[in-house]
Structure formats: C-alpha cells, structure tokens
Amino acid sequence: MSIETKNIIVEKVKNSKIDQVDFDNLAFGSVFTDHMLVCTYKNGVWETPAIVPYQPITLDPSSKIFHYGQSIFEGMKAYKDDNGDVFLFRPLDNFKRLNISAERMCIPAIPQEYFMEGLITLLNLDKAFIPTQEGSSLYIRPFMFASGNGFHASPASEYKFIIACAPSGSYFSGKVKVLIEEKYSRSANGGVGYAKAGGNYAGQFYPTQLAIDKGYNQVIWTDDTNHEFIEEAGAMNIFIRINDTLMTAPTSDRILDGITRKSILEIAKDQGIKTEVRKISVKEVVEAAKDGSLKEMFGAGTAAVISPISGFGYRDTDYELPELQQSYGARLKKIITDIQYNKSEDKFGWRYKVEN
C-alpha cells in the first residue's frame, strides 16, 4: 500500500521482520528495520522522497560511485525513553554537516525538509525497532552517492540519498589500546578529512589492521607533515586530559567537526572543567605519560559516545593510563546519554522529540 504525506511517498512492508530481532543481543549495525528512505537527484532536481521496504539497491556497473568514490554519510541515533517517546540528538547538526560534505564532494545539497521530514516519517513508521535495553539505540545512517553512469572522470548527473536504520547495542565494550601512527596519514591539508566521505574510512583500514596485528585496537592519527601532533583516534575525535585540563585538537581540513566533540566541550565548560582546543604534540603526551600527569584519553563520536583508552603505544614502548574512580570521560558520557535518553534536563536545547 502506498500513501503520500506532505512531501514523502510511503510504501509499507506487507510483513514486518521485527519478530526476528533479538533485542537482548544486538551487534552494532548488523540488523535493519523494515523500511528505508530513498530520494533520487535527476535532471537537476531532487525528486519526491519515498519510504520503501528495506531492500537491495540495483546499480549499473558504470555508476560513478564505483569508479570515482563520490560517497558521503552521517551517523545519528534515535533513543526511546521510559515512556516510549522517541528523541534525536542535535539532528540539524547532522543535516548541516552532510551538506558540508556534499559540497566538498561535488554532490548536490539535500533540502532540509526532505532530510528532516523523511527521517521523522521513517522513525514513526519503524518506531518499534528502537530498542529500550540500556546502552542500545537505533543507529541511523543517512548517506548520498553518485548513481549516474559513465566512465568519464567528472561529477555524476544522478545521485541517491538514502536513510537506513539499524537497532544496535554498544559500539565498543571496555577500553581500547591504541597505537600512535607515524607513517600513514588519515588526511592532508586541502583534502577531504573534514568531510564524512567514505574514502576517508576506507583509507584507514590498512594501517588500522597493521596496528591490530601488533596487539592494538585502534590507531591514533597524527599530522600528515611530520607526524608530530595528535589529531584523531581511529574514526573518532580524541580528548586528552593532562592533570585537570581536558584538551582536544582544533578542527581543520584534516579533522572532522564532530557533534559529540562539540557537545563534550560545551558540557565540560558548563561543569567547570578546564578545556583547551589546541595542537597537542606527541612529545607532550609521551612526557605526560612518563611523569604521571597524563590522567586519561578517550575517543568521542556518535557510535561510541565516549570510548576510554587504556594505553597507547609509541616507538615500541607501551604506556598505560591510570584507572580513575571518577574520570572526566565517564562523567561526561553520563551527562550526554542522560540528555539523549530524556533522563535529565537539557539546558543546551540539543534533544529533539520525534512527534507522531
């Protein structure tokens, strides 16, 4: 059955697969909801978005996504509180960042009403898939890619915008051990590091696997010139606490403007935690680890929220971080997640209620 809302065409599934979902044992991003949103850019305009049953995508072998990598994405979550109400966290920031990425990758911007109305309609349709188990949420993946055909090295004439959702458990469990990278670079000045382009992540896989083979979980990325300054932690922004100061690198052409990162900085300021946004040298971190002033390090991103780092490796030496009873990371994560799950006041105005 197809129905039409204000700007969205909706085709519902005949039979839901929700009974097949084991909500008590959810891996991250491995099972999917009944529906997805699809919107096509063609002849210079975005066509009417449609919500359809979750299904494979058919593309011509000459589709430019396969050849020139015009692909971007976002990561969001929907949360359900104890009353069954559904909330998003700073969704307009995701929308704005998606279009910033689109501009850098020469992809046409998606209209805000298509993004927001499409997302809200999709969430209301698949609301039952939003888990209520502690630490679980509905992971939302909006993405855009070149679907136009041709081998010519130029922007495509057609694009797809899709939102797919996956009920998911925690992204990481426990602390991670990281290796400071000195050979490979995640991105470069003037490049696409600030965009959520698929190729940024593909380029990380090989050096990350090399680190895993050495017994680490992730890589700490450093600058592309001299590998002198700390930049990101795997696919996340990184925070470093030396004594009582919480530091993170400034955003740039190379570093993603993380929404969780921005939230942490604002919450830390509100909590009276001293913060610094500046270049952080590897030398400074190593020396702090040696003299005991390095208190904690953690990654920050939508998927994991905050992922504590238990230690790091650098030039064949491992440095362990202390076990803290009251870490900044744990404190900040609780404040963020309490806002996300509607368990506390939201003085920042970040929580967005999904209305029916």
Side-chain angles (χ1 to χ4, degrees):
M1 179 182 67
S2 294
I3 58 176
E4 189 166 349
T5 62
K6 182 179 178 183
N7 291 310
I8 313 290
I9 298 169
V10 179
E11 178 188 348
K12 294 183 178 180
V13 294
K14 293 180 180 179
N15 298 297
S16 176
K17 59 189 176 191
I18 193 164
D19 292 341
Q20 303 170 25
V21 179
D22 183 357
F23 284 96
D24 293 320
N25 296 284
L26 286 172
F28 184 85
S30 61
V31 295
F32 304 94
T33 61
D34 283 337
H35 302 90
M36 64 184 191
L37 180 137
V38 181
C39 188
T40 300
Y41 180 88
K42 191 174 182 179
N43 297 323
V45 296
W46 285 103
E47 298 178 346
T48 302
I51 291 176
V52 299
Y54 186 90
Q55 59 191 273
I57 302 167
T58 300
L59 293 171
D60 191 281
S62 70
S63 295
K64 291 198 173 184
I65 176 58
F66 300 132
H67 308 280
Y68 304 112
Q70 274 184 290
S71 174
I72 58 173
F73 70 95
E74 274 298 320
M76 310 171 64
K77 287 181 178 178
Y79 312 85
K80 190 179 286 184
D81 70 5
D82 294 338
N83 296 320
D85 291 325
V86 176
F87 298 89
L88 295 165
F89 184 73
R90 305 186 72 166
L92 288 177
D93 288 305
N94 290 100
F95 161 74
K96 292 173 184 175
R97 192 172 63 182
L98 182 70
N99 278 340
I100 289 171
S101 298
E103 181 180 25
R104 181 61 182 85
M105 299 301 291
C106 209
I107 296 173
I110 191 77
Q112 180 175 321
E113 62 270 24
Y114 283 9
F115 183 97
M116 289 303 299
E117 186 179 345
L119 176 57
I120 298 308
T121 305
L122 180 60
L123 291 177
N124 278 317
L125 198 58
D126 283 346
K127 181 178 179 179
F129 283 87
I130 304 174
T132 56
Q133 288 77 358
E134 185 175 356
S136 297
S137 57
L138 184 74
Y139 186 77
I140 302 165
R141 173 56 60 87
F143 60 103
M144 301 166 71
F145 63 91
S147 56
N149 302 336
F151 291 147
H152 190 269
S154 61
S157 58
E158 296 182 15
Y159 296 87
K160 293 285 188 185
F161 169 62
I162 295 176
I163 303 178
C165 303
S168 298
S170 299
Y171 189 66
F172 288 121
S173 58
K175 295 186 177 182
V176 298
K177 186 178 178 183
V178 297
L179 177 66
I180 295 179
E181 181 58 54
E182 288 195 277
K183 178 180 179 181
Y184 298 98
S185 297
R186 177 187 173 273
S187 58
N189 288 331
V192 297
Y194 69 90
K196 283 191 75 71
N200 289 344
Y201 297 80
Q204 295 183 36
F205 294 158
Y206 177 66
T208 300
Q209 186 58 54
L210 294 179
I212 291 171
D213 292 343
K214 294 178 180 178
Y216 300 92
N217 304 103
Q218 264 295 352
V219 165
I220 295 290
W221 301 106
T222 52
D223 65 282
D224 64 306
T225 306
N226 299 314
H227 298 285
E228 182 182 356
F229 296 99
I230 299 289
E231 297 210 325
E232 290 198 346
M236 298 180 288
N237 295 117
I238 187 168
F239 283 83
I240 297 169
R241 175 185 171 187
I242 295 180
N243 291 319
D244 291 330
T245 301
L246 189 64
M247 301 177 289
T248 192
T251 55
S252 67
D253 287 349
R254 304 184 307 275
I255 297 176
L256 184 72
D257 186 12
I259 293 166
T260 305
R261 172 189 177 277
K262 291 191 289 191
S263 304
I264 288 171
L265 288 171
E266 290 190 55
I267 292 171
K269 181 180 179 181
D270 180 71
Q271 290 287 305
I273 296 172
K274 182 181 178 182
T275 61
E276 292 181 1
V277 179
R278 63 170 175 84
K279 288 186 174 182
I280 308 163
S281 71
V282 176
K283 180 180 179 182
E284 179 182 6
V285 174
V286 170
E287 289 180 352
K290 289 179 178 178
D291 67 24
S293 60
L294 179 63
K295 302 303 182 184
E296 58 184 304
M297 300 169 64
F298 54 83
T302 297
V305 185
I306 287 176
S307 181
I309 293 171
S310 61
F312 68 90
Y314 179 66
R315 294 186 177 176
D316 300 321
T317 301
D318 285 340
Y319 300 89
E320 298 299 319
L321 274 74
E323 290 279 350
L324 300 180
Q325 293 296 320
Q326 295 180 327
S327 69
Y328 284 176
R331 177 178 166 189
L332 294 165
K333 182 174 182 177
K334 185 178 188 307
I335 293 171
I336 291 176
T337 55
D338 281 354
I339 292 172
Q340 291 170 335
Y341 287 95
N342 195 31
K343 293 182 178 180
S344 69
E345 176 192 2
D346 175 20
K347 64 173 68 176
F348 306 98
W350 294 335
R351 191 166 53 223
Y352 182 101
K353 187 174 182 180
V354 176
E355 302 289 356
N356 292 322

